[in-house]
Amino acid sequence: MVRKTVLMDEEMVQQLSILSKKEDRDFSGSLRHALRIGLLAIQNPELTAEEIEDILEAKVELETGMVRELSLENI
């Protein structure tokens, strides 16, 4: 991981601090999470931030084996 100094206004710092408390993350984790969603939103303007978060959560659930692909034969 690379360390960089980032200049932010106080309002953004407050919003990230609130986000970190809501999501039980440290400040750096909240910043990385928000930045990742923001970058994905720029690349996918047809999706909302909530939809992007849902997709990321579903991807993690699939990778960790919490869910599996639905088979039409088992319906």
Side-chain angles (χ1 to χ4, degrees), residues 33-48:
H33 180 70
L35 181 59
R36 183 175 185 203
I37 290 172
L39 291 172
L40 288 169
I42 290 170
Q43 295 170 353
N44 301 281
E46 70 282 358
L47 298 175
T48 66

Side-chain angles (χ1 to χ4, degrees), residues 2-64:
V2 177
R3 287 192 177 270
K4 291 281 186 176
T5 301
V6 178
L7 186 62
M8 293 186 284
D9 61 34
E10 266 190 61
E11 183 180 341
M12 188 175 291
V13 171
Q14 286 179 324
Q15 289 175 349
L16 282 166
S17 294
I18 291 168
L19 179 66
S20 65
K21 287 181 181 165
K22 282 183 182 179
E23 297 191 349
D24 197 26
R25 300 176 191 261
D26 64 0
F27 186 85
S28 295
S30 292
L31 180 58
R32 285 190 303 271
H33 180 70
L35 181 59
R36 183 175 185 203
I37 290 172
L39 291 172
L40 288 169
I42 290 170
Q43 295 170 353
N44 301 281
E46 70 282 358
L47 298 175
T48 66
E50 187 174 310
E51 290 170 328
I52 292 169
E53 282 186 304
D54 289 344
I55 291 168
L56 291 174
E57 185 178 324
K59 183 179 174 191
V60 169
E61 289 174 353
L62 183 62
E63 289 171 352
T64 59

